[in-house]
Amino acid sequence: MTVNGAAVDTDYGPVQVQISLRGSQIISATAIAYPQESRRDQEINSYAIPVLQQDTVTKQSAQVDTVSGATYTSDGYRQSLQSALDAAHQAGAR
């Protein structure tokens, strides 16, 4: 099952996460939208997004750590991830 989380607005732009699950296990997490307008956004998110995605699969929850220097992206990522997990849970309960 693949589920998109809500797009979460941050001070630097929206962040949206898509997760793929096998049963209740998160097998992948992908940031499908994140700030990348400026050179600084690209620099920060080029290292922050892979860390957040890996942390999601490792921890199997939205309790991922904030990446240093990428607080807004990390916060938006967590919120979008939680909404994706909630949507997956609701879809599984049907």
Side-chain angles (χ1 to χ4, degrees), residues 4 20 56 70 75 83:
N4 290 349
S20 293
T56 301
D75 289 346
S83 73

Side-chain angles (χ1 to χ4, degrees), residues 47-65:
Y47 72 84
I49 295 297
V51 169
L52 292 164
Q53 292 173 161
Q54 182 58 48
D55 206 18
T56 301
V57 174
T58 300
K59 292 188 175 173
Q60 291 293 303
S61 77
Q63 301 302 314
V64 296
D65 295 329

Side-chain angles (χ1 to χ4, degrees), residues 21-82:
L21 301 121
R22 185 176 299 125
S24 62
Q25 182 179 12
I26 301 168
I27 57 173
S28 71
T30 306
I32 57 174
Y34 52 90
Q36 47 191 333
E37 294 299 313
S38 73
R39 194 176 210 46
R40 183 81 175 123
D41 289 341
Q42 292 169 10
E43 180 183 321
I44 290 168
N45 291 319
S46 70
Y47 72 84
I49 295 297
V51 169
L52 292 164
Q53 292 173 161
Q54 182 58 48
D55 206 18
T56 301
V57 174
T58 300
K59 292 188 175 173
Q60 291 293 303
S61 77
Q63 301 302 314
V64 296
D65 295 329
T66 297
V67 176
S68 180
T71 303
Y72 291 104
T73 296
S74 298
D75 289 346
Y77 181 95
R78 263 193 303 275
Q79 291 176 45
S80 181
L81 174 58
Q82 186 60 60

